[in-house]
């Protein structure tokens, strides 16, 4: 009888250890993706409070879909959460004239670049951040945003041109290129 009690106790402690290790793995997943999700959320909203809300909502959704979500699941949860909060509305694509814009030898301040990025339309901003900042491939962005790869590349090029226009403008009181 005593030995059966020890077996039962061992099963309980093994189960508790498995739960504890799952919680630790989930914490590791959160910590390894938290900065990227918050950064993208912050650049999309321009607000730390809204970025925190997006961060929390993204991870709640991701962990509801899987006990141990991978980066693709987390990215899909982030995009879906942004869409549900109307950060990514269906925008009419307005091409930017491809006139030559030169910044000369002027150094660009980080604050100027961040302001120019905030001036981009939401979808262009997200594509620019995913492709040029985070290094995502156009195929992956196309899958996340449910666009064709050609649309992703066109959107990224448009975002880069708008950024150049914005950075080349002398006025800093508002968005010029959007």
């Amino acid at each position: 009888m005593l030995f059966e009690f020890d077996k039962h106790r061992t099963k309980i402690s093994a189960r508790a250890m498995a739960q504890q290790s799952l919680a630790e793995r989930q914490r590791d997943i959160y910590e390894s993706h938290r900065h990227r999700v918050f950064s993208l959320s912050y650049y999309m909203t321009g607000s730390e409070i809204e970025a925190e809300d997006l961060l929390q909502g993204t991870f709640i959704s991701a962990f509801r879909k899987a006990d141990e979500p991978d980066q693709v699941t987390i990215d899909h949860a982030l995009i879906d959460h942004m869409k549900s909060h109307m950060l990514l509305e269906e925008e009419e694509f307005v091409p930017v004239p491809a006139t030559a814009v030169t910044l000369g030898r002027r150094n660009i301040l980080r604050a100027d670049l961040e302001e120019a990025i905030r001036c981009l339309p939401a979808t262009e901003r997200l594509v620019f951040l995913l492709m040029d900042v985070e290094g995502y491939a156009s195929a992956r962005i196309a899958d996340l945003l449910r666009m064709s790869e050609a649309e992703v590349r066109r959107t990224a090029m448009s975002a880069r041109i708008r950024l150049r226009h914005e950075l080349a403008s002398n006025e800093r009181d508002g968005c010029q290129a959007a």
Side-chain angles (χ1 to χ4, degrees):
M1 194 78 89
L2 181 61
F3 296 112
E4 288 180 25
F5 177 74
D6 285 342
K7 284 182 187 178
H8 180 68
R9 187 174 183 183
T10 304
K11 287 180 185 177
I12 292 173
S13 63
R15 196 175 308 137
M17 286 175 47
Q19 286 295 88
Q20 182 182 11
S21 63
L22 174 62
E24 288 172 1
R25 289 192 309 268
Q26 288 176 334
R27 189 177 15 259
D28 289 344
I29 290 168
Y30 173 78
E31 288 300 325
S32 65
H33 296 282
R34 176 180 57 86
H35 179 73
R36 179 179 50 83
V37 171
F38 180 82
S39 296
L40 287 169
S41 299
Y42 178 74
Y43 278 112
M44 289 303 295
T45 62
S47 164
E48 288 183 30
I49 293 170
E50 290 179 41
E52 277 293 331
D53 288 344
L54 280 171
L55 175 75
Q56 289 176 9
T58 295
F59 280 102
I60 288 170
S61 297
F63 282 115
R64 281 183 181 157
K65 291 179 184 173
D67 283 341
E68 297 181 47
D70 59 0
Q71 184 171 350
V72 173
T73 304
I74 293 168
D75 288 346
H76 278 288
L78 174 61
I79 300 302
D80 291 344
H81 206 62
M82 282 182 184
K83 285 182 178 179
S84 72
H85 286 78
M86 295 192 287
L87 291 173
L88 295 176
E89 299 171 358
E90 291 298 319
E91 299 168 344
E92 183 177 322
F93 183 74
V94 180
V96 178
T99 57
V101 175
T102 181
L103 299 176
R105 292 205 161 264
R106 178 177 163 233
N107 289 330
I108 304 298
L109 298 175
R110 181 182 175 122
D112 292 341
L113 180 59
E114 289 176 354
E115 183 180 332
I117 289 171
R118 279 192 288 274
C119 289
L120 294 173
T123 303
E124 285 185 12
R125 186 174 345 132
L126 183 58
V127 169
F128 174 79
L129 291 169
L130 290 173
M131 185 176 281
D132 293 341
V133 176
E134 295 294 328
Y136 285 30
S138 58
R140 185 155 174 218
I141 298 169
D143 178 55
L144 281 171
L145 299 179
R146 295 169 185 88
M147 304 168 76
S148 71
E149 281 189 68
E151 287 177 296
V152 168
R153 287 190 296 273
R154 185 173 51 245
T155 303
M157 183 58 66
S158 176
R160 292 176 193 131
I161 292 170
R162 283 184 207 274
L163 279 175
R164 286 185 190 114
H165 280 283
E166 188 63 34
L167 291 169
S169 72
N170 291 332
E171 260 183 71
R172 291 285 165 232
D173 293 334
C175 298
Q176 306 298 314

